mmCIF file of all heavy atoms in Angstrom:
data_model
loop_
_atom_site.group_PDB
_atom_site.id
_atom_site.type_symbol
_atom_site.label_atom_id
_atom_site.label_comp_id
_atom_site.label_asym_id
_atom_site.label_seq_id
_atom_site.Cartn_x
_atom_site.Cartn_y
_atom_site.Cartn_z
ATOM 1 N N PHE A 46 20.612 -15.469 -3.593
ATOM 2 C CA PHE A 46 20.306 -15.297 -2.179
ATOM 3 C C PHE A 46 18.946 -14.658 -1.875
ATOM 4 O O PHE A 46 18.548 -14.619 -0.719
ATOM 5 C CB PHE A 46 21.403 -14.466 -1.505
ATOM 6 C CG PHE A 46 22.746 -15.131 -1.560
ATOM 7 C CD1 PHE A 46 23.741 -14.642 -2.377
ATOM 8 C CD2 PHE A 46 23.006 -16.268 -0.808
ATOM 9 C CE1 PHE A 46 24.978 -15.253 -2.438
ATOM 10 C CE2 PHE A 46 24.233 -16.889 -0.864
ATOM 11 C CZ PHE A 46 25.226 -16.385 -1.686
ATOM 12 N N PHE A 47 18.253 -14.166 -2.865
ATOM 13 C CA PHE A 47 16.976 -13.493 -2.615
ATOM 14 C C PHE A 47 15.846 -14.121 -3.427
ATOM 15 O O PHE A 47 15.030 -13.426 -4.030
ATOM 16 C CB PHE A 47 17.096 -11.984 -2.928
ATOM 17 C CG PHE A 47 18.071 -11.278 -2.031
ATOM 18 C CD1 PHE A 47 19.325 -10.916 -2.491
ATOM 19 C CD2 PHE A 47 17.734 -10.994 -0.724
ATOM 20 C CE1 PHE A 47 20.229 -10.272 -1.671
ATOM 21 C CE2 PHE A 47 18.632 -10.354 0.109
ATOM 22 C CZ PHE A 47 19.880 -9.994 -0.363
ATOM 23 N N GLN A 48 15.794 -15.447 -3.401
ATOM 24 C CA GLN A 48 14.777 -16.159 -4.172
ATOM 25 C C GLN A 48 13.369 -15.873 -3.664
ATOM 26 O O GLN A 48 12.448 -15.692 -4.454
ATOM 27 C CB GLN A 48 15.040 -17.665 -4.129
ATOM 28 C CG GLN A 48 14.015 -18.454 -4.914
ATOM 29 C CD GLN A 48 14.290 -19.949 -4.889
ATOM 30 O OE1 GLN A 48 15.256 -20.397 -4.299
ATOM 31 N NE2 GLN A 48 13.421 -20.702 -5.524
ATOM 32 N N ARG A 49 13.177 -15.814 -2.352
ATOM 33 C CA ARG A 49 11.843 -15.562 -1.794
ATOM 34 C C ARG A 49 11.315 -14.193 -2.235
ATOM 35 O O ARG A 49 10.163 -14.077 -2.648
ATOM 36 C CB ARG A 49 11.889 -15.675 -0.273
ATOM 37 C CG ARG A 49 10.528 -15.677 0.368
ATOM 38 C CD ARG A 49 10.583 -15.912 1.867
ATOM 39 N NE ARG A 49 11.201 -14.781 2.546
ATOM 40 C CZ ARG A 49 12.272 -14.842 3.324
ATOM 41 N NH1 ARG A 49 12.864 -15.988 3.543
ATOM 42 N NH2 ARG A 49 12.747 -13.764 3.896
ATOM 43 N N GLN A 50 12.170 -13.173 -2.197
ATOM 44 C CA GLN A 50 11.754 -11.841 -2.605
ATOM 45 C C GLN A 50 11.495 -11.795 -4.120
ATOM 46 O O GLN A 50 10.558 -11.137 -4.578
ATOM 47 C CB GLN A 50 12.816 -10.797 -2.228
ATOM 48 C CG GLN A 50 12.912 -10.543 -0.749
ATOM 49 C CD GLN A 50 13.804 -11.542 -0.033
ATOM 50 O OE1 GLN A 50 14.305 -12.502 -0.601
ATOM 51 N NE2 GLN A 50 13.989 -11.321 1.264
ATOM 52 N N ARG A 51 12.318 -12.491 -4.890
ATOM 53 C CA ARG A 51 12.132 -12.533 -6.340
ATOM 54 C C ARG A 51 10.821 -13.218 -6.699
ATOM 55 O O ARG A 51 10.070 -12.749 -7.557
ATOM 56 C CB ARG A 51 13.309 -13.263 -7.002
ATOM 57 C CG ARG A 51 13.242 -13.240 -8.515
ATOM 58 C CD ARG A 51 14.408 -13.960 -9.172
ATOM 59 N NE ARG A 51 14.367 -15.393 -8.914
ATOM 60 C CZ ARG A 51 15.259 -16.059 -8.196
ATOM 61 N NH1 ARG A 51 16.270 -15.448 -7.653
ATOM 62 N NH2 ARG A 51 15.141 -17.358 -8.026
ATOM 63 N N ASP A 52 10.508 -14.320 -6.012
ATOM 64 C CA ASP A 52 9.253 -15.021 -6.279
ATOM 65 C C ASP A 52 8.042 -14.167 -5.903
ATOM 66 O O ASP A 52 7.034 -14.171 -6.607
ATOM 67 C CB ASP A 52 9.218 -16.343 -5.523
ATOM 68 C CG ASP A 52 10.209 -17.357 -6.077
ATOM 69 O OD1 ASP A 52 10.693 -17.164 -7.216
ATOM 70 O OD2 ASP A 52 10.505 -18.336 -5.365
ATOM 71 N N ALA A 53 8.147 -13.437 -4.799
ATOM 72 C CA ALA A 53 7.046 -12.552 -4.404
ATOM 73 C C ALA A 53 6.858 -11.423 -5.413
ATOM 74 O O ALA A 53 5.724 -11.061 -5.761
ATOM 75 C CB ALA A 53 7.304 -11.978 -3.010
ATOM 76 N N ALA A 54 7.962 -10.873 -5.917
ATOM 77 C CA ALA A 54 7.882 -9.815 -6.932
ATOM 78 C C ALA A 54 7.260 -10.346 -8.218
ATOM 79 O O ALA A 54 6.408 -9.694 -8.831
ATOM 80 C CB ALA A 54 9.268 -9.235 -7.197
ATOM 81 N N THR A 55 7.670 -11.544 -8.608
ATOM 82 C CA THR A 55 7.112 -12.162 -9.809
ATOM 83 C C THR A 55 5.622 -12.427 -9.648
ATOM 84 O O THR A 55 4.829 -12.191 -10.571
ATOM 85 C CB THR A 55 7.851 -13.477 -10.117
ATOM 86 O OG1 THR A 55 9.238 -13.200 -10.227
ATOM 87 C CG2 THR A 55 7.347 -14.113 -11.380
ATOM 88 N N ALA A 56 5.215 -12.900 -8.481
ATOM 89 C CA ALA A 56 3.796 -13.169 -8.238
ATOM 90 C C ALA A 56 2.978 -11.887 -8.264
ATOM 91 O O ALA A 56 1.862 -11.859 -8.797
ATOM 92 C CB ALA A 56 3.622 -13.877 -6.899
ATOM 93 N N SER A 57 3.521 -10.803 -7.719
ATOM 94 C CA SER A 57 2.770 -9.547 -7.718
ATOM 95 C C SER A 57 2.633 -8.988 -9.132
ATOM 96 O O SER A 57 1.582 -8.459 -9.498
ATOM 97 C CB SER A 57 3.416 -8.523 -6.793
ATOM 98 O OG SER A 57 4.642 -8.069 -7.313
ATOM 99 N N ILE A 58 3.672 -9.124 -9.944
ATOM 100 C CA ILE A 58 3.584 -8.676 -11.340
ATOM 101 C C ILE A 58 2.591 -9.540 -12.110
ATOM 102 O O ILE A 58 1.778 -9.034 -12.889
ATOM 103 C CB ILE A 58 4.977 -8.711 -12.005
ATOM 104 C CG1 ILE A 58 5.841 -7.615 -11.411
ATOM 105 C CG2 ILE A 58 4.871 -8.528 -13.505
ATOM 106 C CD1 ILE A 58 7.278 -7.665 -11.871
ATOM 107 N N HIS A 59 2.625 -10.841 -11.881
ATOM 108 C CA HIS A 59 1.683 -11.740 -12.560
ATOM 109 C C HIS A 59 0.243 -11.398 -12.188
ATOM 110 O O HIS A 59 -0.640 -11.353 -13.043
ATOM 111 C CB HIS A 59 2.003 -13.194 -12.208
ATOM 112 C CG HIS A 59 1.059 -14.158 -12.842
ATOM 113 N ND1 HIS A 59 -0.085 -14.602 -12.224
ATOM 114 C CD2 HIS A 59 1.084 -14.745 -14.060
ATOM 115 C CE1 HIS A 59 -0.724 -15.420 -13.019
ATOM 116 N NE2 HIS A 59 -0.021 -15.532 -14.140
ATOM 117 N N THR A 60 0.010 -11.143 -10.912
ATOM 118 C CA THR A 60 -1.337 -10.799 -10.466
ATOM 119 C C THR A 60 -1.805 -9.492 -11.101
ATOM 120 O O THR A 60 -2.941 -9.378 -11.539
ATOM 121 C CB THR A 60 -1.376 -10.678 -8.930
ATOM 122 O OG1 THR A 60 -0.962 -11.914 -8.368
ATOM 123 C CG2 THR A 60 -2.769 -10.338 -8.433
ATOM 124 N N ARG A 61 -0.916 -8.508 -11.162
ATOM 125 C CA ARG A 61 -1.279 -7.206 -11.722
ATOM 126 C C ARG A 61 -1.635 -7.307 -13.193
ATOM 127 O O ARG A 61 -2.611 -6.731 -13.658
ATOM 128 C CB ARG A 61 -0.130 -6.223 -11.506
ATOM 129 C CG ARG A 61 -0.290 -4.889 -12.171
ATOM 130 C CD ARG A 61 -1.500 -4.094 -11.758
ATOM 131 N NE ARG A 61 -1.576 -3.914 -10.330
ATOM 132 C CZ ARG A 61 -2.694 -3.587 -9.699
ATOM 133 N NH1 ARG A 61 -3.802 -3.405 -10.365
ATOM 134 N NH2 ARG A 61 -2.710 -3.446 -8.412
ATOM 135 N N PHE A 62 -0.863 -8.058 -13.970
ATOM 136 C CA PHE A 62 -1.074 -8.102 -15.416
ATOM 137 C C PHE A 62 -2.010 -9.217 -15.863
ATOM 138 O O PHE A 62 -2.369 -9.272 -17.036
ATOM 139 C CB PHE A 62 0.265 -8.214 -16.145
ATOM 140 C CG PHE A 62 1.050 -6.945 -16.102
ATOM 141 C CD1 PHE A 62 2.185 -6.850 -15.323
ATOM 142 C CD2 PHE A 62 0.635 -5.845 -16.821
ATOM 143 C CE1 PHE A 62 2.900 -5.675 -15.269
ATOM 144 C CE2 PHE A 62 1.338 -4.661 -16.778
ATOM 145 C CZ PHE A 62 2.481 -4.571 -15.999
ATOM 146 N N SER A 63 -2.429 -10.100 -14.973
ATOM 147 C CA SER A 63 -3.337 -11.168 -15.369
ATOM 148 C C SER A 63 -4.796 -10.745 -15.289
ATOM 149 O O SER A 63 -5.672 -11.491 -15.699
ATOM 150 C CB SER A 63 -3.116 -12.400 -14.480
ATOM 151 O OG SER A 63 -3.529 -12.120 -13.158
ATOM 152 N N GLY A 64 -5.059 -9.584 -14.750
ATOM 153 C CA GLY A 64 -6.430 -9.106 -14.637
ATOM 154 C C GLY A 64 -7.098 -9.511 -13.337
ATOM 155 O O GLY A 64 -8.280 -9.249 -13.141
ATOM 156 N N GLN A 65 -6.382 -10.147 -12.432
ATOM 157 C CA GLN A 65 -6.962 -10.583 -11.168
ATOM 158 C C GLN A 65 -6.866 -9.524 -10.086
ATOM 159 O O GLN A 65 -7.523 -9.627 -9.057
ATOM 160 C CB GLN A 65 -6.256 -11.854 -10.689
ATOM 161 C CG GLN A 65 -6.405 -13.016 -11.634
ATOM 162 C CD GLN A 65 -5.537 -14.188 -11.226
ATOM 163 O OE1 GLN A 65 -4.798 -14.121 -10.249
ATOM 164 N NE2 GLN A 65 -5.597 -15.258 -11.996
ATOM 165 N N ALA A 66 -6.045 -8.500 -10.300
ATOM 166 C CA ALA A 66 -5.863 -7.462 -9.289
ATOM 167 C C ALA A 66 -7.022 -6.477 -9.337
ATOM 168 O O ALA A 66 -7.614 -6.242 -10.389
ATOM 169 C CB ALA A 66 -4.552 -6.729 -9.529
ATOM 170 N N LYS A 67 -7.340 -5.927 -8.193
ATOM 171 C CA LYS A 67 -8.387 -4.923 -8.207
ATOM 172 C C LYS A 67 -7.827 -3.644 -8.824
ATOM 173 O O LYS A 67 -6.638 -3.352 -8.704
ATOM 174 C CB LYS A 67 -8.943 -4.687 -6.806
ATOM 175 C CG LYS A 67 -7.979 -4.207 -5.786
ATOM 176 C CD LYS A 67 -8.669 -4.064 -4.451
ATOM 177 C CE LYS A 67 -7.941 -3.005 -3.648
ATOM 178 N NZ LYS A 67 -8.510 -2.759 -2.373
ATOM 179 N N PRO A 68 -8.657 -2.889 -9.506
ATOM 180 C CA PRO A 68 -8.159 -1.714 -10.226
ATOM 181 C C PRO A 68 -7.661 -0.636 -9.273
ATOM 182 O O PRO A 68 -8.193 -0.458 -8.173
ATOM 183 C CB PRO A 68 -9.378 -1.236 -11.011
ATOM 184 C CG PRO A 68 -10.551 -1.817 -10.320
ATOM 185 C CD PRO A 68 -10.088 -3.074 -9.667
ATOM 186 N N LEU A 69 -6.634 0.040 -9.717
ATOM 187 C CA LEU A 69 -6.102 1.155 -8.947
ATOM 188 C C LEU A 69 -6.917 2.399 -9.267
ATOM 189 O O LEU A 69 -7.186 2.692 -10.416
ATOM 190 C CB LEU A 69 -4.630 1.389 -9.303
ATOM 191 C CG LEU A 69 -3.687 0.223 -9.040
ATOM 192 C CD1 LEU A 69 -2.308 0.561 -9.559
ATOM 193 C CD2 LEU A 69 -3.628 -0.069 -7.561
ATOM 194 N N ARG A 70 -7.299 3.127 -8.239
ATOM 195 C CA ARG A 70 -8.082 4.346 -8.437
ATOM 196 C C ARG A 70 -7.367 5.509 -7.772
ATOM 197 O O ARG A 70 -6.875 5.387 -6.664
ATOM 198 C CB ARG A 70 -9.475 4.177 -7.835
ATOM 199 C CG ARG A 70 -10.278 3.098 -8.555
ATOM 200 C CD ARG A 70 -11.565 2.780 -7.886
ATOM 201 N NE ARG A 70 -12.440 3.927 -7.782
ATOM 202 C CZ ARG A 70 -13.630 3.890 -7.216
ATOM 203 N NH1 ARG A 70 -14.078 2.775 -6.715
ATOM 204 N NH2 ARG A 70 -14.371 4.967 -7.141
ATOM 205 N N SER A 71 -7.360 6.626 -8.475
ATOM 206 C CA SER A 71 -6.727 7.815 -7.926
ATOM 207 C C SER A 71 -7.648 8.438 -6.882
ATOM 208 O O SER A 71 -8.826 8.098 -6.772
ATOM 209 C CB SER A 71 -6.431 8.818 -9.037
ATOM 210 O OG SER A 71 -7.637 9.325 -9.556
ATOM 211 N N ALA A 72 -7.109 9.380 -6.108
ATOM 212 C CA ALA A 72 -7.906 10.054 -5.079
ATOM 213 C C ALA A 72 -9.066 10.811 -5.710
ATOM 214 O O ALA A 72 -10.169 10.855 -5.151
ATOM 215 C CB ALA A 72 -7.021 10.995 -4.275
ATOM 216 N N GLY A 73 -8.844 11.394 -6.877
ATOM 217 C CA GLY A 73 -9.918 12.106 -7.577
ATOM 218 C C GLY A 73 -11.038 11.175 -7.999
ATOM 219 O O GLY A 73 -12.223 11.519 -7.894
#
Side-chain angles (χ1 to χ4, degrees):
F46 298 109
F47 296 104
Q48 180 179 359
R49 190 175 68 237
Q50 289 84 355
R51 185 180 67 246
D52 291 344
T55 304
S57 70
I58 290 173
H59 179 268
T60 301
R61 173 60 54 199
F62 288 108
S63 68
Q65 298 172 358
K67 60 182 207 179
L69 300 175
R70 295 172 60 181
S71 68

